[in-house]
Amino acid sequence: MKGIKTVYICSECEYESPKWLGRCPKCNSWNTFVEDAVAVESPSAAKKRPSVARTGENRAARFSELSAPDYIRTETGLCELDRVLGGGLVTGSVVLLSGEPGIGKSTLLLQICDTLCKGKTVLYVSGEESRSQLKLRAERLGVEGERLYVLTETNIESILEEAKTVSPDVIIADSVQTMYSDRVPSAPGSITNVKEVAMSFIAKAKSEGISVILVGHVNKEGGIAGPKVLEHMVDAVLNFEGDKRQSYRIIRANKNRYGSTNEIGVFEMTDTGLREVPNPSEMLLADRPADTSGNCAVCTMEGTRPLVAEIQALVTPTSFPAPRRTSNGIDYNRTYLILAVLEKRLGLKFSANDVYLNVIGGMRIDEPASDLGIALALISSLTDRPIPDDLIAIGELGLSGECRGVANIEGRVREAARLGFTTAVVPLHNVQSCENISGIKVVAAKNVYDILKFLKPKKE
Ligand code: TYD
Ligand code: MG
């Protein structure tokens, strides 16, 4: 077609090439080029495109005269989501919600419509489901919504035209990969199209103060399909994670211009939609096996919330020249580090064994405060000596085998006590700040030798 050229674009850095390349010459990533078609635009037409930077005032302003913004936040009706957003959906912000297909993105968004449209007009644009499908789902979820409008359309120009008549306060676009612009000749879901659609929504959000929630699919590597630049353009990127075979779902902020990225929201998928789990520790500790070796409870901080999780280790004699190390939910490097410390300082022969580590409930733990618990679980499995069920281990492990203090110890021990743990093993340095909590005995561990005494004798 005239005025259209086929190009190959790197999905990492958007480097454009007339032919396919195995390795991007700009960002050096491999196998990131995808075919795309772009319109050959005259420079004057390109200037007319909506730009985020060009909306609003464009004069230099004196910094001292700027006033701090007073964000207007709207509660979504789901406290778990509000907390991840930083206290509610900010007016005029653009949020990207990503997750695997079937994880529950559309369900979550339709559910929040129920509360949102009590005070605001919401336009739910779906490029994936028909009106009757949406209606059926809304009925199942108990969403009524007088001021909820549904549009099944994938052309961004028509969507924005329709938005003029509805004049919504919130637009939900499900999903950005199904939508396309007339300006872009390539197929929906291509890099240029995803970017163009997102840019149009962002321009609309910023110029009219509309909150926009974009749904983004993830590719097989787990990243958001489409250009990486999408993540830089939006105000917040929320990730909806979880194992589809299990009912738990965790929402995490990967980026948030209006709040912390440490908070998580925990949900459970039920037959009437997503249910909030305000006490995730209880959920994670359900069905704990009693009196078996290789299990240890740890307490990690997720934002401001202490979360008690269970680590399981399985250490078995290896039949491979290089022993296997599998770790689910725990950073690999951390696992290797702990194993090396235990091998060197305690002389335990992990090198002759395969090691499997798992965090129950699909949780991910990346805080060093769980080192001590991981170490205990590993030793327990290797020696086949169980750890008491009511013991929790908190602390970081240093390379010399020393137990190092961690932050927020009081909150962690309190949470453990609330859940019925009666002994907390904490670094010596931390003992003072948590020894007077009722119902739980705090025991100091100076180094890795000290934790050995907590293992019960081997069962016959
Ligand atoms: P959905 O929101 O369509 O996922 P996504 O938009 O992320 O692709 O969720 C689909 C799954 O959720 C589907 O497998 C069925 C399940 N589900 C429930 O278990 N209960 C419910 O009430 C609903 C609406 C969906
Ligand atoms: Mg969906």
Side-chain angles (χ1 to χ4, degrees), residues 136-373:
L136 200 71
R137 187 193 293 237
E139 269 174 9
R140 185 153 137 201
L141 299 173
V143 177
E144 289 169 7
E146 192 53 34
R147 293 170 68 182
L148 171 64
Y149 291 82
V150 169
L151 176 67
T152 45
E153 175 61 66
T154 52
N155 181 283
I156 180 73
E157 282 81 18
S158 316
I159 293 169
L160 295 182
E161 199 54 46
E162 192 58 29
K164 275 188 200 146
T165 26
V166 178
S167 66
D169 303 299
V170 180
I171 300 181
I172 295 173
D174 187 2
S175 66
V176 66
Q177 274 88 4
T178 53
M179 296 175 184
Y180 70 97
S181 162
D182 285 337
R183 268 201 288 260
V184 179
S186 59
S190 66
I191 292 182
T192 36
N193 242 327
V194 168
K195 203 175 141 193
E196 183 71 36
V197 169
M199 288 236 281
S200 308
F201 275 124
I202 293 169
K204 179 93 179 162
K206 300 296 165 194
S207 59
E208 296 176 32
I210 298 174
S211 311
V212 176
I213 305 178
L214 303 172
V215 172
H217 287 298
V218 294
N219 55 24
K220 55 181 185 299
E221 285 87 32
I224 296 164
K228 224 21 213 157
V229 66
L230 198 61
E231 291 172 43
H232 302 298
M233 282 156 47
V234 297
D235 297 314
V237 181
L238 308 187
N239 240 322
F240 209 14
E241 307 167 356
D243 192 336
K244 259 186 284 176
R245 286 157 298 181
Q246 293 184 342
S247 55
Y248 320 126
R249 303 281 186 271
I250 294 170
I251 195 158
R252 216 181 264 281
N254 277 0
K255 158 183 175 174
N256 194 352
R257 286 185 183 150
Y258 306 114
S260 145
T261 51
N262 293 324
E263 300 289 351
I264 62 163
V266 185
F267 296 91
E268 187 183 358
M269 183 62 98
T270 66
D271 52 0
T272 49
L274 291 155
R275 193 179 63 81
E276 292 180 85
V277 181
N279 267 322
S281 302
E282 279 164 22
M283 174 189 88
L284 292 170
L285 292 178
D287 310 321
R288 274 191 91 188
D291 214 21
T292 35
S293 63
N295 300 328
C296 188
V298 297
C299 187
T300 141
M301 294 301 291
E302 287 289 353
T304 49
R305 255 198 322 190
L307 199 84
V308 174
E310 192 190 1
I311 309 269
Q312 286 197 314
L314 186 67
V315 182
T316 54
T318 186
S319 50
F320 303 105
R324 277 188 74 124
R325 303 282 182 254
T326 304
S327 123
N328 201 358
I330 299 163
D331 179 44
Y332 263 104
N333 293 325
R334 207 82 216 154
T335 310
Y336 278 104
L337 189 144
I338 296 168
L339 284 171
V341 170
L342 296 181
E343 182 122 18
K344 177 86 180 170
R345 305 290 163 202
L346 298 178
L348 296 170
K349 280 276 161 268
F350 283 103
S351 49
N353 290 279
D354 290 337
V355 172
Y356 302 91
L357 265 178
N358 185 33
V359 186
I360 298 294
M363 276 294 299
R364 208 172 66 206
I365 294 187
D366 35 24
E367 225 201 353
S370 49
D371 288 357
L372 219 49

Side-chain angles (χ1 to χ4, degrees), residues 81-157:
L81 177 63
D82 284 343
R83 203 184 37 248
V84 178
L85 284 168
L89 187 63
V90 175
T91 302
S93 69
V94 183
V95 178
L96 178 65
L97 175 69
S98 74
E100 283 178 30
I103 204 84
K105 301 180 292 297
S106 311
T107 310
L108 178 78
L109 294 177
L110 206 55
Q111 258 178 280
I112 63 169
C113 285
D114 194 40
T115 306
L116 284 181
C117 64
K118 289 210 170 88
K120 301 199 169 255
T121 308
V122 183
L123 177 63
Y124 188 107
V125 190
S126 178
E128 306 200 333
E129 283 156 303
S130 68
R131 286 164 198 233
S132 46
Q133 273 172 318
L134 284 168
K135 180 80 188 167
L136 200 71
R137 187 193 293 237
E139 269 174 9
R140 185 153 137 201
L141 299 173
V143 177
E144 289 169 7
E146 192 53 34
R147 293 170 68 182
L148 171 64
Y149 291 82
V150 169
L151 176 67
T152 45
E153 175 61 66
T154 52
N155 181 283
I156 180 73
E157 282 81 18

